[in-house]
């Protein structure tokens, strides 16, 4: 290797380490603008329209909003059942169901990583001062206490449960968690959440004869 050259992998890693805050900030800002627009002009039925019209691509973008805590126009718990109902060819279309779950996990993880990076690089006071950050200081302190008590394991556990999804993203950023560790734990928790949500919906739908 010539003197002064650097492997392409190292150059790519250096690029992301240098500009990740700008990339994450751009993703978050884009999600914010889309989320505000949808908050003003859309509702949950519009989410179904997007899924029917644009399929998995729309699902991916909607889940980025959900992961970045910018989803104003549809309850996140309804997205997995709606995605499977609209995009999979029935309850026995296992590849279609797996595709829906996989896209949801990927989208939510991208959104959470964007918010995590902003929290990690910009800090607590910055986030609390932003009107789009809808978590109160007292609530944030409660989740920070959870992270201090349980450590990194709180990230996947909170992501796998109703009502706490994504809430440990910001405390993890404040605690300067390793990027790769956060990505793995975030994706793991989201995978568990989306899987049990879809499985429950399929089970209930079959019992009720709706599928």
């Amino acid at each position: 290797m010539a003197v002064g050259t650097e492997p392409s992998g190292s150059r790519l890693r250096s690029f992301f380490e240098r500009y990740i805050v700008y990339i994450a900030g751009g993703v978050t800002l884009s999600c914010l603008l889309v989320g505000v627009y949808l908050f003003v002009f859309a509702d949950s039925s519009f989410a179904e329209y997007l899924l029917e019209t644009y399929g998995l691509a729309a699902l991916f973008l909607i889940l980025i909003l959900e992961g970045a805590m910018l989803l104003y126009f549809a309850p996140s718990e309804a997205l997995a059942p709606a995605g499977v109902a609209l995009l999979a060819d029935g309850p026995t279309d296992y590849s279609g169901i797996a595709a829906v779950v996989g896209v949801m996990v990927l989208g939510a993880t991208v959104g959470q990583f964007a918010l995590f990076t902003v929290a990690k690089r910009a800090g607590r006071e910055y986030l609390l001062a932003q009107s789009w950050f809808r978590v109160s200081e007292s609530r944030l302190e409660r989740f920070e206490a959870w992270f201090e008590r349980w450590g990194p394991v709180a990230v996947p556990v909170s992501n796998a449960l109703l009502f706490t999804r994504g809430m440990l993203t910001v405390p993890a950023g404040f605690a300067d968690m390793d990027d790769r560790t956060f990505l793995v734990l975030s994706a793991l928790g989201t995978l568990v959440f989306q899987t049990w949500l879809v499985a429950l919906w399929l089970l209930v739908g079959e019992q009720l004869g709706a599928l």
Side-chain angles (χ1 to χ4, degrees):
M1 182 182 298
V3 177
T5 62
E6 187 179 5
S8 58
S10 298
R11 290 198 300 271
L12 185 61
R13 183 167 57 253
S14 297
F15 172 83
F16 278 107
E17 288 175 352
R18 178 175 299 179
Y19 295 107
I20 186 63
V21 67
Y22 302 108
I23 296 171
V27 171
T28 304
L29 179 59
S30 299
C31 289
L32 171 63
L33 295 175
V34 174
V36 169
Y37 173 82
L38 293 172
F39 175 69
V40 175
F41 297 106
D43 54 22
S44 58
S45 63
F46 186 66
E48 293 187 5
Y49 166 77
L50 291 176
L51 293 178
E52 290 177 337
T53 306
Y54 301 105
L56 292 175
L59 187 65
F60 176 70
L61 293 176
I62 291 171
L63 264 292
I64 291 179
L65 291 173
E66 191 261 355
M69 298 176 66
L70 295 170
L71 188 66
Y72 301 127
F73 66 101
S76 59
E77 291 77 12
L79 291 173
V84 171
L86 295 171
L87 302 178
D89 190 18
T92 59
D93 180 15
Y94 302 117
S95 60
I97 294 171
V100 169
V101 171
V103 167
M104 295 188 74
V105 171
L106 182 59
T109 303
V110 169
Q112 286 196 0
F113 185 67
L115 181 59
F116 163 83
T117 303
V118 171
K120 185 175 182 178
R121 306 289 182 176
R124 191 174 192 275
E125 298 305 318
Y126 170 82
L127 273 180
L128 287 174
Q130 305 308 306
S131 59
W132 54 265
F133 185 65
R134 299 177 298 158
V135 180
S136 65
E137 185 171 7
S138 60
R139 194 179 185 197
L140 180 59
E141 288 175 350
R142 183 165 74 251
F143 289 116
E144 286 179 299
W146 287 15
F147 189 85
E148 289 176 3
R149 180 175 182 181
W150 301 107
V153 71
V155 173
V157 171
S158 67
N159 265 4
L161 301 175
L162 292 170
F163 310 118
T164 62
R165 274 192 46 72
M167 292 301 178
L168 272 294
T169 298
V170 172
F174 292 161
D176 201 28
M177 180 186 282
D178 176 71
D179 291 352
R180 292 182 182 179
T181 301
F182 175 80
L183 282 170
V184 171
L185 294 179
S186 172
L188 177 62
T190 300
L191 176 62
V192 172
F193 176 78
Q194 303 297 354
T195 299
W196 76 253
L197 200 60
V198 168
L200 179 63
W201 181 79
L202 291 173
L203 177 62
V204 171
E206 185 176 1
Q207 292 296 323
L208 295 177
L211 297 177

